[in-house]
Amino acid sequence: RVELDAESPLLGRWDSMWMRQLVSNLLTNAIHYGGGKPVSVAISRIDGTARLEVSDQGIGIDKADQEKWFTKKAS
């Protein structure tokens, strides 16, 4: 089960192909590693910035690997 929490539509300029791939990857991982429990998707606006959160109740990412996956790299 996927639960969606969206306070309102978020208007903006999005690269639709990139967004599709991003959301697909996040949902696929959450469903795969979520242990069969519900997956939550939240869309919100914080200080004029769109925010997308995907969460599950699975095993999580090892602390040692979190920086690799969640730290923005310089271009």
Side-chain angles (χ1 to χ4, degrees), residues 11-70:
L11 301 177
R13 291 184 180 192
W14 319 107
D15 179 330
S16 61
M17 194 159 120
W18 185 83
M19 287 298 292
R20 241 182 265 124
Q21 182 179 0
L22 172 71
V23 173
S24 176
N25 288 346
L26 290 171
L27 282 174
T28 298
N29 287 340
I31 291 167
H32 182 77
Y33 294 105
K37 297 176 182 157
V39 173
S40 298
V41 178
I43 302 166
S44 60
R45 180 184 357 254
I46 299 174
D47 297 328
T49 300
R51 181 181 186 115
L52 168 69
E53 296 178 67
V54 177
S55 57
D56 62 63
Q57 300 172 39
I59 59 174
I61 298 172
D62 188 79
K63 293 276 186 202
D65 292 327
Q66 287 181 10
E67 185 174 335
K68 177 174 84 173
W69 292 107
F70 297 111

